[in-house]
Amino acid sequence: MGLWSFFSFSLLAFVLLYPFHPKFVAQAEISSPTTDNRFYRLEITPLEASVTRKSTEDEVSFKVDNNAKVLSDFETESVVVGALNPNNGNQEGNEIQGGLGHEAHIGIITVPNYPKIPSKQYDDISEDNQRRPTAIKMLERTFPDTRKRVKRSVGSTYTENVDRSIHGDAQPRGRFVETVQGVSNSRAEYRRTGEEVKGSNPRQSEPHLDTSTFALSGDSAHNQAMVHWSGHNSSVILILTKLYDFNLGAVTESSLWRSTDYGSTYTKLNDKVGSRTVLSYLYVCPTNKQKIMMLSDPEVESAVLISSDEGASFEKHLINFNILSLLFHPAQENWILAYSHDSKLYSSMDFGKKWQLVHDNVMPGRFYWAVMGLDRESDVVHIETRIAKGCAKYVKCRAQRCTEANRQYLFPGHVDTNSLVVQDEYVFTQVTKTGRASYFVSYMRESFKRMKLPKYCLPKDMHIISTDEKQVFAAVQEWNQNNTYSLYISDSPGVYFTLSLENLRTSRGPAGNLLVDFYKVEGIHGMYLANKMVDHHIKTFITYNKGQTWALLPAPATDVVGNNIHCILPFCSLHLHLEMSENPYTSGPITSKKSVPGIIVATGNIGTELSSTNLGMFLTSDAGNSWRQIFDEEHNIWFLDNGGALLAVLHAATPIRHLWISLDEGKKWDRHSFSLAPLYVDGVLMEPESDNHIITFFGHFSHRSEWQLIKIDYKGLFSRRCMDGDYQTWHLLNKGELCVMGEKQIYMKRRPGNRCMLAQDYSRIYSSEPCLCTAYDFECDYGWERQADGKCSPAFWFNPNGAAKSCSNSQSFLNSTGYRKVLSNNCKEGGKNVYSPRRQACRPRPPRGLRLSTSQGELSATVGSNVTFMVYLDDGDLLKTSIQLDFGDGIRITYSNLSRTDDGIKHIYRTTGIYRVTASAENNQGSDSSTLFLHITSPVERVYLSAPIVTIRGKEANLTAVVWPSHTRTLTFFWWFDNSSEPIITLEGSISYTFQREGKKKVTVQVASGNTVMQDSKVITVKEFFRSLLLSFSPALDEHNPDIPEWREDIGRVVRTALSQVSGVTDDQLLVSLYPGLPTTAELFILPDEHTSSEHKRQREEALDTISDIFVTALNQGLIQFELKADIRIIVYITQQTLAPLVDTNSIHSGSAMLMLLTVVFVGLAAFFIYKFKRKIPWIHVQTEDSHEKEPEVISTVGQNDNISKVKLSEFPSQKELMEKELEARSRGGIGRNMERIVTREFPNCTNV
C-alpha cells in the first residue's frame, strides 16, 4: 500500500500500538495513487491478538496489498509496490484493513491484487496538495517496543539519562489517537516558553521551543482517535476520539474536538453533531480541506455528516448503504465515489447529499476517477466488475450515466480479478490462461498490448513498482526464483522491459502482501536504493542512473563518537533498512525530502550484510557519496522548516520528555524538553511547507490517563529569515563523476549552522548543464543483455535483424545498436554516437516466422462474439508483405502490409463449429503461413434425451441427445448405461445400443461444452416382445397442454389407469408415453405378463394380440375417457398402430408380415401424393417448425432392419384428413385391423419421450 508523504497536511492511516511500543504498527497499509483520493475503513483487532513489530529483516519500503495489482510512484518518505497478478486470499478482509488512504491498482498487480500506488510528487507543491487527499490517521495508545535492540558498544553524549531496558509484558495495553479540527475551550492550559539547551537556561535570543499541553478530558476510556489538520496555514485541528469495543467489533462512544488556535485549546462538538450520534470515520476533501465528511456508525444509523466550514457546523444526511471506502475526484471537490459493503459503487456530485448507484459487483479498490488530460470526460469512472470466480470485466462509463447502453468494455475479453489499475498514462491488467499469466498495458488510453519481458523470464508473479516519469518499474518473480524478485524497467509505452537488478529482497506481510526492498530518493532524478541478495547475504545498492548501474554504499569513516571504522568495499559496506513506515505518525527507517535534495537519513548497520542488530542512524548530505553516523540507537527523524532543520525523537522503550534538533545537517544536535513529565509518544503531526512552525505530539502519561496534546512552536530556533548570503552551492556527484543523468547539476542549500528560516519558494537547483552522451547514459535494449565487460549483446533467443523493429512505414528504419537511452536522461549526442539507433535501408526479405493467435491466446469463443486475431511476423519485409487471413467460414480478408494489423483483425462467427483459420504472408521473396483451429461454441441451455421407453432385447435401440441451441462438432457426449462404471464417449449426439437383458434400464447422457456439463436421463424397459398402439385425444386437451415433461407424465398415468379399469389389464403391463408438441398424441405399450411362464412364447404373444384387440375396440367405441377439469372430459382415440405388433422375432417371416410390407409401399405412395398437396399432420408440423434446417427422420422404436425404408414425418396426412377418415370409418363400423397395422408400419420412432 502507498505511503503518506508529509506534503499532505492531514494524514489518514490505521495504526495499532502494542505494549512497550512507542511506535505504531500499521494494521493495514495505505496507498495513494496519483490520481486517486481514496479513503478506506480499517478493521481493528484487539491488542492482545496483534503481532508485534517485525524484525528489521522483515521490513521493506515497498508494500503490495492483496487487493492491488500494480503500484506506482514514489512518496517522499517511501514507495509502495503493487502487484499485477492477484493474490486472492482474504482479499475482502484486506480491503477493509486497507487504511483510510488511497487504494492503488495493478497490481496488480498487485498487482495486485490486486497493489497500491503511492501519490506522485510534483514540482509544484500546491498542485500536489490538490491531487492527493487529506488523510486522516487513526492512532492507538502506544507503549514501549517489545523488540529488543543490541546496542553498539559506543556511548552517546547526547542520550537521555533514562532507563532503556525493555519489559515487553510489563506495561498495560496502549491507546489509540487521531487528529481533528476543534474550537477553543475555556479549559486552562499549561504554557512554557524557554527550553533547556544542553542543561542551561537560554536567554530569549538563544534557540528555544514554546510548548503548551492540552488534555482531552472525559475521553480517557476512548482507545482510538483520528486527527486532521486543515493545513494551508489554517489554525483548525479536528480530533475524533472513539471507544472501539473489540468484542462487539463496533464503535460504542465517540467525541469530536475542534481547535482554532493550532491546537492550544480544544472545544467538544458532540452537541453540534448530535449527542446520540456515534461517529466512526472522518474524511477531508483533498481539493478543499474546509470540506469535511464524517460517517456515523452503521450499527446505530447510516448517515453522513457534512461540513463546508472546517467543522464549525454540520449537516446530517441519511443514506441507505454502508460506506466502506471513499474516492474523491482529483479536481472536482464535490464529486465522490463510495464503495459499500455489498460490493456496490455509488457516486455523488454534491459532496454526499445525494447518491446514485453506478455499478454492482465491483471489486474492492478497483474503481478510479478519470485521469485529467487523458480521459475525455472528467466524470469518467474506470471499474473492474466481477462476473465469476476469478473472472472480471474492465468497464468504463460516466459516473451518473453508467447504464448498460453507456458502458464501454475496452479490454477484449475477461481479466483476472483484482488486476485493473489505472495510473497516470497507463492502464494495467492481467489474464491467466492455462496456468500462465499474461500482462497487458494501455498507454495514453490506446489499445492494450501485451507486456514483453525477456523470452525466458517466464514470470510467476509481477508487481508494478512505479509509473513515474512515463516509465514502468516492475518487480518480477522469474520461473527459477522463490524468495526474491528481479527489477525490470520499461520503455515509455510500458511494453518492452529490460533487466535492471536481480534478486531483490522481498518478504510477505501479515496479510500476505508482497514487501519489496526498493526506495526512490526524493529530490534527485534517477537515484534509487535497493536491497539485493548476494550469496545469501542482503546488501544495499545505490544507482544514480535509473538502474543502469548499481554500487554498494560506502561506510562512514568513524562511528558516532569519532572512533575509526575499518570497512573496505566490497567486503564491507553500509546497509540500510528500506521499509515504509508502519505508523504514519513516525518517520520510518528511511526518509528523504524533495525540498532538501541530497540528504537521506536511514536506519542501518555496517558490515557484510543487512542486520537487525547493531542498528544506528546514518545520514548523507551529498546524495549517498559519503555517510555519517549520527545516533547509535534508532530514532524517528523529521525535516523541519522546509528541510532546513532535523527533528529526532528516540525510539524509546520508556516515556520520554526530550527531543533533538539539528540545524547543520546532523553534525550537531541540541536537546530540548517538550514536556515536564515523561510522555509515551504515540505520534507526531506537523504542517510542512507553511509559514507557521508548529508540531504536535500525541501521547499519554500512563495507560489510564487522558489524551495529551502537546503543541510545540519551534520558531524560536531561528533568529531571522534567510537572505542570499545564507546559501551555498554543492555539486551532485556519482563517485567523483560530475555528469549524473546526462547533466552537471549544482544545487543550493542553507549554510550549515545558520539560524535563519528557509523560504518555501527558494530554488534548490542552482544550475544544470547537459553532458555529452556516454555508455553510462544508456541501458540495454529489449532482447539484449549486459555482459561482464559492460557491453550489451543480443540474447541467444533474440534476432536483432528480425521484424520487431523493422520496416513498417518507410523504406528505412532505426535499427537498435543494443542500447536505449535512459528515460529522463538529458545528455546530448556528439558527432558520432555508437549507442543511438542507426537508420538502415530496408532490404528485401522473405516472410519467416509467421504466427497467428487470438488476442488472449484462447482457441475457443462464443458464437456472435468478436474474435480478435493477432498476426506476428518474426522476419521479413513488412512494408511489401501482404497478409491474407482466411477465417474458415467462407470469408477471407487481405491487407497490403502487416502494419495495418497492429490492432488485431476482428471477426464474428455466426454459427457454432470448428473453423480452420489460416494466415498467409507473401511478397516477391517468398511466403509463409500459419494455421489455428478455432472452436466456436454457444452456451448449452437445455439437453433432452430422445429414447424409446420400450425396446426389444438383443435389438439396437437408437438414442439421441437433443441440445438447445444446436451445436456442430463442438460438444462431447458421455453415455452412461445402467450400472456401467465408465461411459461411452462420442462426438455425435446419437448412438445405437443393444440391451442384452430384460428389465428397466436407466440411460444418462452428459453433454460437455467448455466448462459446462448438462445431462438428462431416461428409463427404458427392455422386453423380448411387446405391442403398441398410437393414441390421440379430444381437441380440448390441446388447450390445456403446457408441453412440459411433468404434465405429459401425469396425463400418461391417468390414461393408463383408465385403460386398466376398462380392460382389467394390470398397470404393470401398460405404459403410456405422450409426445412433445401439439396436437397431443401418445403411444400405448402393452407388455407381456411377467407372471406367465416364459416357456410358452407363442401363447404370450397371442395374449398380447388379444389385449391389443380389446383396446382397439374400446378406443374405437370411445370407452376410454378421463376428466381433465370440471365439465371437461377427454376421450382417447386410436390413431394407428406402431411397428411393434408386427415384429416377428422368429427367423422366418410370416405371410401376414409380408403382406404388411407390400402394404407399406402402397401407403408410402399415398403419403407422397398427400405431401404434394402440402398436407401435414399438425403435431408433426409443429415439430418441423422447431427445426428449420431439415425435417427429422423417424427411427424405429425397436431398431428395425436396415432394409425398412425411413419415412419423413411431413409425408403423413393432416389431422383434419385423419379425423375425416376416422369419422367415415366409424359410420361403416370401425377401422380395419389391417389398415391400423399398415399405418403403424409407416410410422416408426414415435416412441421417443
Side-chain angles (χ1 to χ4, degrees), residues 373-478:
L374 291 174
D375 294 294
R376 293 182 179 179
E377 295 86 11
S378 57
D379 62 343
V380 162
V381 182
H382 302 266
I383 308 170
E384 180 187 300
T385 61
R386 177 175 44 233
I387 59 176
K389 184 178 181 181
C391 188
K393 292 285 286 184
Y394 168 30
V395 180
K396 178 182 176 182
C397 63
R398 304 184 71 172
Q400 297 283 305
R401 290 186 290 174
C402 197
T403 60
E404 182 61 38
N406 295 323
R407 295 171 184 169
Q408 293 179 279
Y409 299 91
L410 301 181
F411 186 85
H414 300 159
V415 302
D416 293 350
T417 53
N418 295 309
S419 69
L420 176 67
V421 168
V422 180
Q423 174 63 36
D424 294 330
E425 298 85 3
Y426 303 91
V427 179
F428 298 93
T429 192
Q430 170 185 324
V431 178
T432 300
K433 299 294 181 184
T434 63
R436 180 180 295 182
S438 298
Y439 308 98
F440 296 87
V441 60
S442 168
Y443 178 64
M444 302 296 290
R445 300 302 184 267
E446 296 178 354
S447 59
F448 280 88
K449 297 181 184 291
R450 189 188 299 268
M451 299 165 65
K452 295 187 177 181
L453 294 147
K455 186 173 182 179
Y456 295 107
C457 168
L458 304 177
K460 297 188 295 185
D461 193 18
M462 176 186 286
H463 300 272
I464 303 302
I465 297 174
S466 166
T467 58
D468 202 11
E469 300 177 355
K470 294 186 178 181
Q471 187 174 29
V472 180
F473 281 64
V476 178
Q477 187 174 49
E478 302 179 25

Side-chain angles (χ1 to χ4, degrees), residues 42 105 111 193 310 360 366 392 544 589 599 617 629 672 677 704 719 750 815 966 1078 1188 1213:
L42 306 173
H105 324 276
V111 105
T193 60
E310 296 181 296
D360 56 3
R366 302 294 159 207
Y544 293 90
I599 296 182
M617 302 302 299
Q629 185 175 8
H672 299 265
R704 290 297 181 187
S719 58
R750 186 181 61 190
N815 191 18
S966 62
L1078 294 175
H1188 300 286

Side-chain angles (χ1 to χ4, degrees), residues 158 160 192 194-200 202 206-211 640 646-649 656-663 668-675 697 712-714 716-718 755:
Y158 320 130
E160 303 174 59
R192 179 166 174 251
E195 296 292 333
E196 55 179 342
V197 180
K198 293 191 177 181
S200 63
E206 295 179 342
H208 64 279
L209 303 179
D210 293 331
T211 65
L640 304 179
L646 295 173
L647 165 67
V649 177
I656 60 175
R657 55 187 294 266
H658 296 100
L659 55 81
W660 302 87
I661 291 180
S662 174
L663 300 178
K668 175 184 175 183
W669 294 88
D670 295 329
R671 188 179 72 169
H672 299 265
S673 175
F674 64 87
S675 174
F697 275 57
I712 301 175
D713 189 337
Y714 62 90
L717 297 175
F718 310 103
R755 289 173 51 199

Side-chain angles (χ1 to χ4, degrees), residues 36 354 362 455 716 759 888:
D36 293 357
K354 292 180 294 184
V362 177
K455 186 173 182 179

Side-chain angles (χ1 to χ4, degrees), residues 67 160 235 301 345 388 523 736 738 773 799 805 889 904 1017 1093 1243:
N67 301 342
E160 303 174 59
S235 61
E301 64 175 352
L345 186 66
L738 287 174
C773 293
N799 178 13
K805 299 178 181 179
D889 58 352
S1017 299
S1093 174
F1243 192 82

Side-chain angles (χ1 to χ4, degrees), residues 1044-1144:
I1044 60 175
E1046 295 88 342
W1047 183 87
R1048 292 193 291 269
E1049 290 177 4
D1050 288 338
I1051 296 297
R1053 176 178 48 80
V1054 172
V1055 173
R1056 186 181 62 177
T1057 301
L1059 289 168
S1060 177
Q1061 291 176 350
V1062 170
S1063 64
V1065 179
T1066 62
D1067 290 350
D1068 296 341
Q1069 286 187 258
L1070 304 178
L1071 288 177
V1072 178
S1073 173
L1074 271 73
Y1075 300 115
L1078 294 175
T1080 308
T1081 57
E1083 187 169 8
L1084 167 64
F1085 294 92
I1086 308 169
L1087 308 179
D1089 187 359
E1090 296 181 355
H1091 302 291
T1092 304
S1093 174
S1094 59
E1095 297 178 357
H1096 303 86
K1097 179 179 179 181
R1098 175 66 64 179
Q1099 296 179 2
R1100 297 175 67 194
E1101 291 182 354
E1102 292 176 352
L1104 290 185
D1105 291 337
T1106 302
I1107 295 174
S1108 178
D1109 292 338
I1110 295 173
F1111 283 141
V1112 169
T1113 302
L1115 291 167
N1116 286 334
Q1117 295 177 1
L1119 299 180
I1120 310 301
Q1121 304 179 9
F1122 64 92
E1123 187 175 90
L1124 183 66
K1125 289 185 177 180
D1127 301 329
I1128 300 179
R1129 292 197 65 81
I1130 304 299
I1131 301 176
V1132 184
Y1133 304 103
I1134 184 171
T1135 301
Q1136 50 204 351
Q1137 283 184 299
T1138 66
L1139 175 68
L1142 303 178
V1143 173
D1144 190 350

